[in-house]
Amino acid sequence: MEAGGFLDSLIYGACVVFTLGMFSAGLNLGWLSYGALKGDGILIVVNTVGAALQTLYILAYLHYCPRKRVVLLQTATLLGVLLLGYGYFWLLVPNPEARLQQLGLFCSVFTISMYLSPLADLAKVIQTKSTQCLSYPLTIATLLTSASWCLYGFRLRDPYIMVSNFPGIVTSFIRFWLFWKYPQEQDRNYWLLQT
């Protein structure tokens, strides 16, 4: 990747910082494989750290979880799905270019669904006229992360990175609008009930 000056450095840095902040919410680790296949150091570093953090989250959850059998079964199922995906992409798609395209498409679909998932709470927010179920800090983090990755994808002319992160910008603005329409002051009764 060619260095394009200060703007490129700023975009790369934003991708790393904002994405590492977002890993507390959990992100698709398929981007690590995509970055490795593409030889993209930014994707590799960010998703390696993310994989380590998510592994720590799972181990901590397993340690403190009272019903370990259910969680272990879910974790084993997830690992099985990951191994099937790995087998498909690395064994059944021998052409590296085809693998890159298919893996990019897979990661994009997963990322888009992740960014659209908060819209499931939209009906609840409108029905209750309360944004209590939405996280304002997560909305800011989503906007910053998705915007920086959109810019990064644009600079690389990588449609998988660019297009998959655009819904994060759109859904963030929808959530900001909901915070504006139903300000937290309307949720005072909820806060009073909890104290």
Side-chain angles (χ1 to χ4, degrees), residues 47-152:
N47 288 293
T48 298
V49 172
L53 289 174
Q54 287 185 354
T55 300
L56 288 173
Y57 298 154
I58 291 169
L59 292 175
Y61 184 78
L62 282 172
H63 179 72
Y64 292 105
C65 179
R67 295 185 300 164
K68 292 188 186 336
R69 184 171 185 227
V70 173
V71 175
L72 285 172
L73 183 60
Q74 290 172 340
T75 304
T77 302
L78 178 62
L79 287 174
V81 169
L82 287 174
L83 285 174
L84 283 173
Y86 178 83
Y88 171 77
F89 286 116
W90 295 99
L91 301 174
L92 297 178
V93 185
N95 180 343
E97 187 59 36
R99 187 182 315 140
L100 183 67
Q101 299 302 317
Q102 289 182 19
L103 188 56
L105 182 61
F106 173 79
C107 291
S108 293
V109 168
F110 192 86
T111 302
I112 288 169
S113 66
M114 177 201 64
Y115 279 135
L116 294 179
S117 65
L119 294 180
D121 292 328
L122 185 65
K124 182 179 177 182
V125 169
I126 292 171
Q127 182 183 23
T128 62
K129 296 183 182 345
S130 170
T131 54
Q132 197 63 37
C133 64
L134 299 178
S135 168
Y136 196 79
L138 184 60
T139 302
I140 292 170
T142 300
L143 176 64
L144 294 174
T145 302
S146 55
S148 62
W149 281 109
C150 266
L151 288 172
Y152 183 73

Side-chain angles (χ1 to χ4, degrees), residues 27-40:
L27 290 175
N28 180 18
L29 298 179
W31 287 111
L32 176 60
S33 296
Y34 182 78
L37 188 59
K38 194 172 179 179
D40 188 321

